[in-house]
Amino acid sequence: MCRLMAYIGPARLIADVVLWPDRSIIKQSYDARERLQDPSLPNHLGFGNLNGDGFGIGWYTSDELRERDPTPCMYKSITPAWNNENLARLSCKIISPLVFAHVRAAYPGMPVSEQNCHPFQWGRYLWMHNGVVGGFSKIKRRLLEQLSDAAYNSIQSFHSDSAVSFAVFLNHLPDLVQQQSPDVLVNAMQAAISTICEVQDAMGVRDISLLNFVVSDGSTLIATRFVRPETGNNLVGSSVLCEASYSISYRERGAHVAFVASEPITGSTTDWVCVPKNTVLCVTREKGGFLSMLQSSVSLSRVPDPRLQEVSSCLASIAQGMNTKSRAWVTRKNGQQQQQQCASQQGAADPFAQSPFHALKGDSAAAAAAAADVAAGSLMDGLLGLSRGAIEPETVSMEEEHLLTGHAKAVLALVVDEPSGRLYSSSSDATVRAWGLADMACVAVIRGHSKPVTQLQLLGGRLLFTAAGGAVRVWDTSSFVCLAKIRTSFYSGAIRSMLVTGDGTIYVGHQDTTVKKYLPISAAAAAEAAGTAGVPFSPRATGAGAAAAAAGSVRQPDAQTVPSSGHVGPVNDLVACSSYICSAGGDTTVRVWRASDLELVRVLRGHRGSVLCLLAVGSMLLSGSRDNTIRVWDLDLDFMCRRTLIGHKDDVVHLDALGLSKSGGTTSDLARAYSGLAAGLSPGDAQLAAAAAAAGRTPSPAAGVMAAPVLVASASADGTVRVWGSNWTCLRCLACGSQDQQLVRALKEFVAIRSVSANKALHDECLRGAKYLSRLLEALGAEVKLAQPYEGKNPVVLGRLGNNPAYPTVAFYGHYDVQPAEEPDWQTNPFEMTAVDGYLCGRGTSDNKGPVLAFIYAVKEMLDCWRMAGAAAPLNVAFMFEGEEENGSLGFRESIEANLGWFSDAVLVVIANTVWVGENKPCLTYGMRGMVTASLVMSGPQRDLHSGNDGGVFSEPMAGSCINHISLLSIYAGLWPSVSGPQRDLHSGNDGGVFSEPMADLVQLLGSLHGPGDQISVPGFNNAVRPQLMDLAWQGLAHSEEFSMQSYREAIGVPQLTAPPNTYDLLNKRWCSPSLSIVDIRTTTTGGSSSSSSAAAAAGSGLREYAHKKHGAAEAPSFAGAGGADDRSCYRFGPTRFSVIPKVAVGKISLRFVPEQDHQTLIECLQQHIEKRFKLLWSANRVELQVHLMGDWWEADLRSQRLQVHSVGDWWEADPQSQLFQMAERAVRREWGEPPLYVREGGTMPVASLIEKMLGAPALMIPMGQSSDNCHLANERLRRINLVKGKNVSF
């Protein structure tokens, strides 16, 4: 028997559908699998044989091109398809949205010629046939007599029964030229089959006819499976199941592609729908490029067939819905082209879709629809201040709240278990993932299905039902063990919808238009079917069903809809409503069934597109459709449509109820949520809601209004969620979320402000950041002031909330400026916060915008709590947020000193500008090192020289020693050893070797600072270190796995650590020992001056003033490019600069010192060492040590009842026995469930001691971020749960 295949969908390479699938029609031409093996059929039909008597392919161009020329193109040949090179070449170059392919097996007496090869074409139509017209030689003349001249002239071969059948079809069209509607094509196909059968009856023909026709006009595809008389053999082969490379990809909210094939071209039975005998299938396009697949029985009676009328009515509704305009929310970036490219490169990931003889459909349960399940759980806290003033409410832009990664393919369904705080997601990768809503971490990966998991449903929070392909599995949510498996069918297509009632009864809706009912099975059968002992999902049992489940075979349903009354399209959704089961169909209808036996009760019509979702609210049934509308049906009033809700601008993909019946909320929570809706609800609604909330029950429906719950949420493909009140008025488009969600959204907005203080071009952005914080503080009711003592510098945002002298005042410090984000390693846009796997990624999320907003929202929650209690907060709050922290903090001291009255009564300053020591355990920081950074400037010749000409004949600055002065500048900047030589840069070829080169001198000096094992060689550098600084921190870290030497080494990316090989000594080296680091070496080309001081000044012209850093050495800017000289000036002889001897070489040194050490003593030790070493070089260059920064170690004494500074300098150390630290520990323990680790930091934060001195109040450092937050580096991030819990700890 011949084989045919038709494809309709997005334009793609013909090779994707004709050549490359393992079970492609080309392979079927010599290895057809599904033979009926029926001796009652003619030999060439009933038994296996080759299809080698020719082939043909036909294809249509794009819609735009078909407007000018609607005719298709064809390629035919009488050679075997498997051996035709031209077919392979053409198929790899032609892209088409609709393809016909046919391989031929000529029956005896039929000529082998191209005229007899399929498909046949006339005008805009393509036609092909798989089968035979019984007694064709006897009825051919009578058939021809009935044809019009135009239909007669269309016959391409009078030998072919297929060509004549095509003419009979054309004869029943009202016009052969004009485009016809899908229902006209369906009726013409019905009439053609009726005509053939009538002529056979008139001529007394009793031979078997297989009228499997496929026809298309380029837009609609019509296919039939018709057998007369029926042979009784309705089986399909199964040997195809062993092979499959291509498979369905489930993507959006409906079928995008469909195949019609004689036998499957993929290996999974659930990819295909076996079209029943004597059925006509119509595949047509809906709005948005989706495909509607409707089927009806073929009627030979002249009396109008009800099912055919049903299809015609549905097609008319779909045609009207095509005119509905939609607004895409997510821009599809040339989606068709992407699919074509994907198809040509990755055949195994092909997004196919289903249709008949076998029908393959590309279906997907909308992820966007399922997202409303998530929204439903949180909207109760977020629907604050709703207004119904205008007809069209204000639309709040939908933003990505968080991104969870882990699924390898598209996410198809979501369900939330609020009591357990879990989110379940299913995917095309055949897995289900369980996520914790608190930390957004993956709790478990559930495997067992082999097909995309399209449906999820929870029952009682303990059982999770999943549907994939044609199978349903039941899982225990505590152990994630599979308790039962039900195989629903073969060749019925994937399960499109699933409903589980309270007693465990399962209803499933299939692609094949049926609804099936399965009663629960017994415990023993469930355990046996799952392959493991487990808890049954219901105590009820049915013998046959239990046996089938245990055997793993197809289980017959306990009830099923009958085709004569069922849908004529796929079943998209199911919902229980009173004693009914309601189904949403792709045929534009909603059908109401009796739950007990699935007998049809009523058909609800009115939609102009596929019905995608349903919701039962009391006696009301809501249906959402592809026509952008929601219809409200009253089941108590004879299923009357009470209201049509409009407003969405694209498909309505999900409906959910928001009210007191939702699980997971307490009565007080619900009362608080409902009390906030007073502005959005009518007075009656508000009173009803408030009374119900107080009683802890769902409100009863008032006359003419919605039954409980009070609110309905609808999600649309236009990207919005609309909330509807009890009188069906849209209250708002997408309300805001909870306090935590608001915090995350605020951080997203804050990160988008590019407040890079070091970049003068972004000064306006920094001002935006200051104003953003000002607005937030003003919204709290705070008095706000912007202090800017220096023009051109970013202002300090000061805020004061409350001035009651009887109350204590707590101050918060933070900064709103950020580091540049120019590293090429960023995986996301640094100024567009992205939430991935529980982390908020973007510049400033951890340093320091996230902690700043956490402070503000903590205060907001505190005020809300006291306000709800009817009292004022017994606390004053002060805020100081600077905008130059990353660029020297110039103006911060002056701003605070000029406004000390705002902070004079502060008893505590809270700072969150440090990080944890590890990843998992919260910390409290109780000590930090001090810091001095300096520069060593080595000056030589007056200009840079050529290394070849002049190298080696003079003392080079990079290798020189100190001759002249060392200047100490008591400002916050850096230690810069600088060696100066000639007055200008020289050419190494012309001048090298005739003088001391500054770079060589500097390198020797810097090399003298460290000895073997990286030990510091500066005499006296390790003196005066207080012993036992690590004792407090080691008490918590000694038995903790939070810090690992191996992980630390790998994290910093070094081959070996120089510290002693144990954790204690390593941390002691990092936190409690002085260090000396060479952090940079630079050269300058600023010519014209021979003075070493002027050269050093030129070198330092681009230096930023010190910004207190918390992660290591203060980072002085590069000479060139940080203001002053052009970045490229030092590379004027080429980027590699191999030929230039610099006149000045500067090395940057960072000193870290610890409690009891004196920074002045350390500088003197360094100065003496440099002078001594420089004299040994006998260099004529000049060396200069410039101290640009001094930030002493910082330590606090908390042995009294409050933090106090007790030592010289700015170091800080805390005693955990103090009252403040005990309070902080309790807050951390309460929020994280474990005590914090007490840690020190090797970095320096002079601002802490500066604030302590100015305000006379101790500082308390509460780290929020983890050690892997990448502050100052690419891919900076902050874990979402750290942000939220950090806010709660502050609160």
Side-chain angles (χ1 to χ4, degrees):
M1 180 184 272
C2 305
R3 284 292 180 265
L4 61 78
M5 184 278 303
Y7 163 83
I8 180 172
R12 63 186 312 114
L13 279 176
I14 292 180
D16 277 329
V17 297
V18 173
L19 295 184
W20 293 338
D22 279 357
R23 294 302 307 159
S24 69
I25 192 171
I26 301 302
K27 189 166 186 178
Q28 294 175 26
S29 66
Y30 63 85
D31 185 24
R33 300 289 183 88
E34 297 194 358
R35 298 295 185 182
L36 296 179
Q37 304 295 322
D38 190 343
S40 65
L41 295 174
N43 184 74
H44 70 285
L45 298 179
F47 298 92
N49 60 288
L50 293 178
N51 299 301
D53 297 325
F55 69 88
I57 59 172
W59 65 92
Y60 289 87
T61 56
S62 63
D63 293 342
E64 295 79 6
L65 293 177
R66 282 194 297 109
E67 291 180 0
R68 298 196 299 267
D69 181 6
T71 60
C73 186
M74 293 190 302
Y75 172 65
K76 299 181 180 182
S77 175
I78 60 173
T79 64
W82 65 81
N83 198 31
N84 191 290
E85 294 184 359
N86 287 331
L87 174 62
R89 295 189 186 103
L90 290 172
S91 297
C92 293
K93 300 299 180 182
I94 299 172
I95 295 175
S96 173
L98 203 158
V99 180
F100 276 33
H102 189 281
V103 291
R104 183 168 179 255
Y107 58 80
M110 175 67 69
V112 177
S113 65
E114 289 187 2
Q115 286 79 11
N116 290 326
C117 290
H118 302 225
F120 299 101
Q121 179 263 332
W122 179 260
R124 65 176 70 242
Y125 298 101
L126 279 177
W127 173 280
M128 55 185 176
H129 175 205
N130 176 20
V132 64
V133 176
F136 175 67
S137 61
K138 298 179 181 178
I139 68 172
K140 178 169 63 174
R141 183 181 182 91
R142 182 68 64 88
L143 288 175
L144 296 177
E145 291 175 352
Q146 300 191 27
L147 301 181
S148 65
D149 290 344
Y152 186 88
N153 292 332
S154 71
I155 300 176
Q156 300 174 29
S157 172
F158 289 93
H159 297 285
S160 171
D161 56 350
S162 303
V164 174
S165 298
F166 182 27
V168 175
F169 166 79
L170 295 175
N171 188 65
H172 288 284
L173 293 176
D175 192 305
L176 298 186
V177 177
Q178 297 299 319
Q179 175 98 33
Q180 302 298 323
S181 62
D183 62 310
V184 171
L185 299 181
V186 171
N187 289 327
M189 182 64 80
Q190 289 264 7
I193 294 176
S194 296
T195 297
I196 294 172
C197 293
E198 288 173 359
V199 172
Q200 286 177 327
D201 291 342
M203 300 299 296
V205 173
R206 296 292 181 264
D207 296 345
I208 291 178
S209 292
L210 300 179
L211 306 183
N212 301 326
F213 298 137
V214 182
V215 66
S216 178
D217 62 354
S219 298
T220 300
L221 187 146
I222 308 295
T224 65
R225 182 185 180 193
F226 186 83
V227 182
R228 189 176 187 258
E230 294 195 21
T231 63
N233 191 335
N234 196 34
L235 300 177
V236 292
S238 59
S239 59
V240 71
L241 299 182
C242 64
E243 292 186 58
S245 288
Y246 277 49
S247 61
I248 294 178
S249 174
Y250 293 79
R251 294 178 181 267
E252 294 187 21
R253 55 194 183 278
H256 272 104
V257 298
F259 275 87
V260 176
S262 300
E263 66 180 64
I265 64 172
T266 68
S268 174
T269 58
T270 57
D271 288 351
W272 298 84
V273 175
C274 183
V275 177
K277 288 182 180 179
N278 301 347
T279 298
V280 58
L281 179 78
C282 177
V283 183
T284 187
R285 286 186 170 88
E286 281 193 272
K287 176 177 68 71
F290 295 96
L291 297 179
S292 175
M293 288 170 279
L294 308 178
Q295 64 182 47
S296 171
S297 58
V298 176
S299 174
L300 302 182
S301 172
R302 291 297 182 180
V303 178
D305 182 80
R307 299 296 288 172
L308 183 58
Q309 290 179 325
E310 182 82 14
V311 170
S312 297
S313 174
C314 294
L315 289 173
S317 296
I318 291 173
Q320 295 177 17
M322 286 289 289
N323 298 323
T324 304
K325 295 182 180 180
S326 64
R327 183 187 67 190
W329 170 43
V330 180
T331 302
R332 296 181 175 90
K333 298 181 178 178
N334 198 7
Q336 293 185 357
Q337 181 179 356
Q338 288 181 343
Q339 285 184 332
Q340 295 160 12
Q341 294 174 350
C342 178
S344 63
Q345 298 172 5
Q346 302 177 1
D350 201 42
F352 285 167
Q354 282 195 123
S355 295
F357 303 42
H358 295 282
L360 174 64
K361 53 92 184 175
D363 169 59
S364 62
D373 281 337
V374 183
S378 58
L379 277 173
M380 290 299 295
D381 291 332
L383 296 173
L384 302 179
L386 299 182
S387 174
R388 193 179 52 187
I391 296 178
E392 177 63 21
E394 176 189 358
T395 300
V396 180
S397 297
M398 198 172 201
E399 298 178 0
E400 182 180 273
E401 182 70 23
H402 211 92
L403 180 65
L404 304 177
T405 64
H407 285 298
K409 297 181 180 179
V411 176
L412 303 179
L414 300 173
V415 65
V416 174
D417 184 9
E418 294 181 50
S420 67
R422 284 182 184 171
L423 166 70
Y424 295 91
S425 62
S426 67
S427 168
S428 290
D429 62 10
T431 66
V432 176
R433 286 179 175 261
W435 310 85
L437 292 178
D439 56 4
M440 299 298 175
C442 183
V443 177
V445 180
I446 305 173
R447 293 183 171 89
H449 288 291
S450 60
K451 299 293 293 181
V453 183
T454 57
Q455 301 293 321
L456 295 174
Q457 188 163 340
L458 283 166
L459 181 62
R462 184 185 177 190
L463 300 176
L464 176 66
F465 291 74
T466 61
V472 175
R473 284 179 179 261
V474 188
W475 308 84
D476 187 331
T477 57
S478 59
S479 62
F480 302 110
V481 172
C482 181
L483 304 178
K485 178 183 177 181
I486 300 174
R487 166 70 67 176
T488 61
S489 65
F490 290 114
Y491 290 118
S492 292
I495 295 174
R496 293 289 298 265
S497 54
M498 177 177 66
L499 169 67
V500 183
T501 59
D503 63 352
T505 300
I506 304 172
Y507 296 86
V508 293
H510 278 279
Q511 172 73 20
D512 67 354
T513 76
T514 62
V515 178
K516 299 181 176 70
K517 174 183 178 180
Y518 297 90
L519 295 174
I521 61 176
S522 66
E528 186 177 356
T532 179
V535 180
F537 68 89
S538 175
R540 301 177 59 189
T542 56
S553 58
V554 174
R555 175 183 166 184
Q556 295 302 313
D558 296 284
Q560 179 176 338
T561 58
V562 296
S564 60
S565 61
H567 287 284
V568 296
V571 182
N572 294 325
D573 199 10
L574 293 169
V575 69
C577 191
S578 185
S579 59
Y580 304 118
I581 299 297
C582 303
S583 58
D587 55 7
T588 75
T589 68
V590 177
R591 293 177 186 257
V592 183
W593 314 88
R594 200 162 53 211
S596 58
D597 54 8
L598 292 183
E599 286 292 323
L600 182 66
V601 176
R602 185 64 61 91
V603 179
L604 309 181
R605 307 179 190 276
H607 282 296
R608 297 295 181 262
S610 293
V611 184
L612 303 176
C613 54
L614 297 172
L615 172 66
V617 184
S619 62
M620 297 290 183
L621 176 68
L622 284 76
S623 57
S625 170
R626 208 182 294 284
D627 62 8
N628 307 352
T629 67
I630 302 168
R631 287 183 172 258
V632 183
W633 313 86
D634 193 330
L635 274 61
D636 287 343
L637 293 179
D638 199 27
F639 303 95
M640 181 179 66
C641 181
R642 296 287 303 274
R643 195 73 59 91
T644 299
L645 309 181
I646 61 174
H648 284 299
K649 298 176 175 61
D650 208 340
D651 304 353
V652 180
V653 295
H654 193 79
L655 295 166
D656 208 343
L658 307 178
L660 297 176
S661 60
K662 298 296 290 183
S663 61
T666 64
T667 302
S668 59
D669 293 335
L670 295 168
R672 189 165 65 240
Y674 273 111
S675 66
L677 293 172
L681 302 175
S682 64
D685 295 338
Q687 294 172 6
L688 176 66
R697 59 180 176 80
T698 300
S700 300
V705 299
M706 181 202 314
V710 181
L711 302 175
V712 167
S714 58
S716 171
D718 63 9
T720 65
V721 174
R722 287 180 175 260
V723 182
W724 308 86
S726 60
N727 59 354
W728 306 116
T729 299
C730 182
L731 301 179
R732 195 164 185 181
C733 243
L734 185 63
C736 58
S738 65
Q739 291 275 17
D740 295 345
Q741 291 173 319
Q742 293 178 39
L743 170 58
V744 173
R745 289 175 184 149
L747 182 56
K748 185 180 181 72
E749 296 173 354
F750 203 12
V751 168
I753 301 175
R754 301 169 181 259
S755 51
V756 180
S757 54
N759 190 339
K760 294 181 179 179
L762 295 176
H763 179 64
D764 289 344
E765 285 288 285
C766 294
L767 292 179
R768 281 186 58 208
K771 293 177 181 177
Y772 184 83
L773 289 178
S774 299
R775 289 193 297 269
L776 289 179
L777 296 180
E778 288 171 349
L780 295 179
E783 181 183 357
V784 180
K785 180 179 181 179
L786 298 182
Q788 189 177 17
Y790 293 101
E791 184 178 355
K793 292 297 181 179
N794 300 320
V796 178
V797 180
L798 306 176
R800 177 78 186 200
L801 189 65
N803 287 288
N804 193 329
Y807 296 155
T809 299
V810 175
F812 290 98
Y813 165 83
H815 63 92
Y816 61 86
D817 65 320
V818 297
Q819 282 280 315
E822 300 173 355
E823 301 90 343
D825 301 326
W826 280 92
Q827 298 176 358
T828 60
N829 185 338
F831 295 105
E832 183 177 320
M833 192 184 80
T834 305
V836 181
D837 295 337
Y839 286 91
L840 308 173
C841 306
R843 177 58 85 214
T845 51
S846 183
D847 182 20
N848 186 238
K849 291 183 175 181
V852 164
L853 292 184
F855 289 156
I856 295 175
Y857 275 82
V859 174
K860 180 178 185 298
E861 288 194 14
M862 178 196 69
L863 296 176
D864 289 343
C865 288
W866 284 103
R867 188 178 299 116
M868 292 182 62
L875 186 71
N876 303 316
V877 184
F879 304 91
M880 56 185 96
F881 302 132
E882 64 166 315
E884 292 284 344
E885 192 271 352
E886 304 287 6
N887 194 35
S889 293
L890 185 62
F892 177 71
R893 178 196 293 268
E894 293 82 355
S895 298
I896 302 302
E897 289 177 343
N899 297 276
L900 279 177
W902 291 53
F903 309 98
S904 59
D905 56 347
V907 297
L908 176 67
V909 180
V910 180
I911 303 174
N913 209 18
T914 56
V915 294
W916 295 355
V917 68
E919 299 296 300
N920 303 311
K921 291 186 177 295
C923 301
L924 290 175
T925 303
Y926 74 95
M928 302 187 78
R929 294 195 290 191
M931 176 175 62
V932 174
T933 63
S935 64
L936 184 60
V937 183
M938 187 69 69
S939 303
Q942 294 182 354
R943 60 182 177 84
D944 292 352
L945 302 178
H946 192 285
S947 59
N949 297 333
D950 309 303
V953 298
F954 63 96
S955 296
E956 301 177 4
M958 283 294 280
S961 63
C962 183
I963 291 180
N964 294 320
H965 57 280
I966 297 177
S967 61
L968 300 179
L969 308 178
S970 298
I971 60 172
Y972 293 115
L975 261 174
W976 295 69
S978 174
V979 181
S980 303
Q983 295 182 355
R984 59 184 176 86
D985 292 351
L986 301 178
H987 192 283
S988 61
N990 298 331
D991 308 303
V994 298
F995 64 96
S996 296
E997 299 179 6
M999 184 72 79
D1001 284 356
L1002 178 64
V1003 169
Q1004 292 187 62
L1005 279 181
L1006 295 178
S1008 72
L1009 299 178
H1010 294 87
D1014 201 37
Q1015 296 298 313
I1016 300 173
S1017 301
V1018 178
F1021 195 83
N1022 292 299
N1023 294 345
V1025 176
R1026 186 203 299 169
Q1028 300 178 335
L1029 286 176
M1030 264 291 294
D1031 290 357
L1032 176 61
W1034 189 244
Q1035 292 176 11
L1037 290 168
H1039 304 290
S1040 171
E1041 298 180 357
E1042 185 68 0
F1043 182 86
S1044 162
M1045 291 186 63
Q1046 179 68 17
S1047 299
Y1048 174 69
R1049 185 189 65 79
E1050 294 174 354
I1052 64 177
V1054 296
Q1056 185 176 353
L1057 297 171
T1058 59
N1062 60 75
T1063 302
Y1064 177 90
D1065 290 332
L1066 173 63
L1067 292 177
N1068 187 69
K1069 188 84 171 178
R1070 289 180 64 197
W1071 294 346
C1072 306
S1073 301
S1075 66
L1076 187 154
S1077 302
I1078 302 169
V1079 296
D1080 201 0
I1081 297 177
R1082 292 298 172 95
T1083 64
T1084 69
T1085 59
T1086 308
S1089 173
S1090 60
S1091 168
S1092 63
S1093 61
S1094 64
S1101 62
L1103 291 179
R1104 298 179 309 212
E1105 298 169 68
Y1106 172 64
H1108 47 271
K1109 307 297 178 186
K1110 59 189 175 300
H1111 306 298
E1115 302 169 26
S1118 61
F1119 286 158
D1126 191 296
D1127 285 355
R1128 296 163 295 178
S1129 61
C1130 60
Y1131 302 117
R1132 60 186 178 185
F1133 298 117
T1136 56
R1137 212 173 176 273
F1138 290 151
S1139 299
V1140 178
I1141 299 175
K1143 65 178 181 180
V1144 176
V1146 181
K1148 304 179 188 179
I1149 300 173
S1150 173
L1151 307 182
R1152 301 285 176 163
F1153 58 100
V1154 296
E1156 308 307 341
Q1157 286 190 305
D1158 177 63
H1159 60 269
Q1160 190 64 43
T1161 302
L1162 292 180
I1163 293 173
E1164 291 175 356
C1165 291
L1166 180 62
Q1167 173 184 331
Q1168 294 171 5
H1169 174 80
I1170 290 175
E1171 290 176 349
K1172 178 180 179 180
R1173 300 294 300 190
F1174 187 68
K1175 289 178 181 179
L1176 298 177
L1177 298 179
W1178 294 94
S1179 172
N1181 291 323
R1182 299 169 303 282
V1183 69
E1184 184 176 8
L1185 180 65
Q1186 293 183 335
V1187 180
H1188 298 286
L1189 174 144
M1190 290 185 295
D1192 285 339
W1193 44 278
W1194 182 52
E1195 190 173 50
D1197 181 11
L1198 298 185
R1199 282 168 290 193
S1200 63
Q1201 296 306 309
R1202 54 179 293 174
L1203 287 166
Q1204 293 180 347
V1205 176
H1206 74 92
S1207 77
V1208 178
D1210 298 328
W1211 52 274
W1212 180 75
E1213 191 174 45
D1215 182 355
Q1217 301 304 316
S1218 71
Q1219 205 172 50
L1220 289 175
F1221 251 69
Q1222 290 295 307
M1223 176 186 67
E1225 180 180 337
R1226 287 194 300 271
V1228 172
R1229 186 192 295 268
R1230 181 185 65 246
E1231 192 61 31
W1232 287 98
E1234 59 180 321
L1237 295 175
Y1238 293 96
V1239 299
R1240 303 182 72 99
E1241 282 229 8
T1244 306
M1245 191 181 296
V1247 72
S1249 57
L1250 175 66
I1251 293 175
E1252 283 187 340
K1253 290 178 180 179
M1254 288 192 297
L1255 306 187
L1260 179 64
M1261 293 192 184
I1262 306 178
M1264 288 191 188
Q1266 299 165 290
S1267 61
S1268 61
D1269 278 358
N1270 292 329
C1271 300
H1272 291 201
L1273 304 176
N1275 303 308
E1276 182 181 346
R1277 66 182 191 175
L1278 177 66
R1279 195 165 58 165
R1280 185 183 188 275
I1281 194 171
N1282 283 52
L1283 176 68
V1284 173
K1285 288 185 177 293
K1287 175 206 65 176
N1288 296 341
V1289 168
S1290 303
F1291 173 43

